Amino acid sequence: MDPDQGSEVTTYFVVKWIHVLSSVVLVGTGFGTAFYLFFANRSGSLEAQAVVSRLVVRADWWFTTPAVLVQPASGLYLVHLAGWPLTTPWLALSIGLFVVTGALWLPVVWLQLRMAAMASAARTDSGELPARYWRYARCWEALGYPAFVAMLAVFYLMVAKPTLWE
C-alpha cells in the first residue's frame, strides 16, 4: 500500500485500528472468561460457578460474538485495500486458523450455555452439580486450549507477516 494514496490511507488505518481493537476484545474476552470459569470450577463454590458461568455466556454474546463478526469483515476489507491476494501464505494460514478457532468456539458456546443452566439449576434446587456438568467442563477446556493457541498464532501471523512458503 502506498502511503501517498490520501483518503485510502486514512480509511486503511481506521479499518486497521478497528481490526486490531476487535482482535484484542476477541482474544482478551476469551482468555479472561476462560480464566475465571476455569478457577470458578476449581473453587468448590457452586455460587461462584453459577455466577461466573452466567457472566461468561453474557461476555460471549456481548463482546466475543460482535468481535467474531468484525474480524473477518474488517480483515477482508484490509486485504482488499492493501491489494493482498487471499493466497498470500501468512494470510491464508491466518484465515484457516480463524476458521478452526470458530469451529472450536461454536461447541464451546453451547457447552457454556448448558453449564450455566446446570449451575443455576443446581444452586436453586439440589445444591450439587450433575456429573454431566463436569464432563462438559472437561470438553470446554479441551476445545478452549487449541482455540486459544490458534488465535495466538493468528496474532503472530498478522503482526509478523512471515514468508512461509512460496
Side-chain angles (χ1 to χ4, degrees), residues 15 20 23 41 63 75 91 100-101 115 119 125 127 156 159:
V15 175
V20 169
S23 73
N41 281 339
F63 303 108
L91 185 55
V100 166
T101 302
M115 290 165 62
D125 302 335
Y156 167 76
V159 172

Side-chain angles (χ1 to χ4, degrees), residues 2 11 18-21 25 29 58 61-62 71 77 82 85 93 100 103 110 116 138-139 147 153 157 163:
D2 180 18
T11 300
I18 291 167
H19 188 69
V20 169
L21 181 62
V25 169
T29 301
R58 282 188 189 169
W61 291 126
W62 294 350
Q71 278 293 281
Y77 191 48
L93 184 54
V100 166
W110 183 85
R138 284 190 300 277
C139 289
L157 292 166
T163 302

Side-chain angles (χ1 to χ4, degrees), residues 36 38 58 84 89 98 113 125 159:
Y36 284 108
F38 178 89
R58 282 188 189 169
W84 291 313
F98 188 81
L113 288 165
D125 302 335
V159 172

Side-chain angles (χ1 to χ4, degrees), residues 43-66:
S43 71
S45 169
L46 177 59
E47 182 68 25
Q49 288 168 293
V51 169
V52 170
S53 62
R54 177 176 47 88
L55 293 175
V56 164
V57 168
R58 282 188 189 169
D60 257 355
W61 291 126
W62 294 350
F63 303 108
T64 308
T65 300

Side-chain angles (χ1 to χ4, degrees), residues 27-40:
V27 175
T29 301
F31 182 73
T33 58
F35 175 88
Y36 284 108
L37 189 54
F38 178 89
F39 284 105

Side-chain angles (χ1 to χ4, degrees), residues 42-145:
R42 283 153 180 79
S43 71
S45 169
L46 177 59
E47 182 68 25
Q49 288 168 293
V51 169
V52 170
S53 62
R54 177 176 47 88
L55 293 175
V56 164
V57 168
R58 282 188 189 169
D60 257 355
W61 291 126
W62 294 350
F63 303 108
T64 308
T65 300
V68 164
L69 299 173
V70 168
Q71 278 293 281
S74 60
L76 290 173
Y77 191 48
L78 287 170
V79 165
H80 167 73
L81 289 173
W84 291 313
L86 291 175
T87 56
T88 304
W90 66 266
L91 185 55
L93 184 54
S94 296
I95 292 168
L97 288 170
F98 188 81
V99 169
V100 166
T101 302
L104 294 168
W105 177 66
L106 289 173
V108 162
V109 171
W110 183 85
L111 289 166
Q112 288 172 175
L113 288 165
R114 301 306 325 135
M115 290 165 62
M118 285 186 267
S120 178
R123 184 178 60 181
T124 307
D125 302 335
S126 67
E128 198 170 310
L129 289 166
R132 186 176 48 176
Y133 180 94
W134 298 108
R135 282 193 308 276
Y136 285 7
R138 284 190 300 277
C139 289
W140 176 81
E141 281 186 39
L143 292 165
Y145 295 129

